[in-house]
Amino acid sequence: MRAADADRAAVADRLRAALDEGRLNLYEYDERLQQAYAARTYAELDALVRDLPAVAPPAAAALAEPVEAAPAGPATARPATTRPATARWLAEVWMPYLQVVPIVVAIWAISSLFARDLLYFWPGWVAGPWGAVLLVRTVTGLAGGEPRRWVAERERRRRRKLAKRARRRALEAGGPDD
């Protein structure tokens, strides 16, 4: 029987759940997702999830999460790669704002200092609207699960880059034909 768009979407959701549970790596997920949206029949869709168990309920999935060891002491810093996805996503969203706004305020302060008068606070026109846009983006992104998608996309790009380097090295070394 021919599959419908809703069937393809259901398989895509199941694949995403398997990725979140760690049952698929990003390469497998991407490959199977492409095949799911290209599938025409139920048999093709079934083949994509045949080796995956049923989706675990949230309570069972929470038990399978690894427990992190406590840091050795207060001086032990957590590497950037192990920070939670949400913190890294928030840092990427807000970091340009947190870098630019102090510079603009410093320019205003220096201008006021040289003018020997408190000038109109024009940095508010930079910080205010930009901050409002970032606030809306943050709220909608957190509500929509954007940090997880962001991490998955970064991992996908990293794997592509590594694969590209490996292909380049193989070609430089004489290729797979030799």
Side-chain angles (χ1 to χ4, degrees), residues 77-169:
R78 204 176 202 192
T81 57
T82 61
R83 285 190 309 191
T86 304
R88 291 185 314 194
W89 178 76
L90 285 171
E92 182 164 300
V93 169
W94 283 91
M95 195 54 66
Y97 179 85
L98 296 174
Q99 291 171 339
V100 170
V101 170
I103 293 170
V104 172
V105 171
I107 292 170
W108 168 81
I110 292 169
S111 300
S112 292
L113 186 66
F114 282 126
R116 294 184 182 163
D117 191 19
L118 200 57
L119 299 176
Y120 175 73
F121 189 71
W122 55 267
W125 289 103
V126 175
W130 190 6
V133 168
L134 286 177
L135 186 61
V136 168
R137 180 176 179 206
T138 300
V139 170
T140 58
L142 290 174
E146 185 64 29
R148 190 174 16 180
R149 285 191 298 272
W150 176 79
V151 167
E153 180 60 30
R154 284 180 56 112
E155 180 64 20
R156 195 174 304 122
R157 285 182 192 158
R158 187 184 70 80
R159 289 184 187 266
R160 279 190 209 134
K161 186 187 259 185
L162 291 174
K164 194 176 191 180
R165 277 190 205 150
R167 283 192 300 268
R168 191 178 316 129
R169 284 189 198 127

Side-chain angles (χ1 to χ4, degrees), residues 21-43:
E21 292 173 352
R23 298 183 191 285
L24 294 175
N25 64 33
L26 283 172
Y27 178 76
E28 292 171 312
Y29 169 72
D30 189 43
E31 188 176 284
R32 289 186 189 201
L33 190 64
Q34 289 175 9
Q35 291 173 1
Y37 284 113
R40 290 186 217 137
T41 64
Y42 285 117

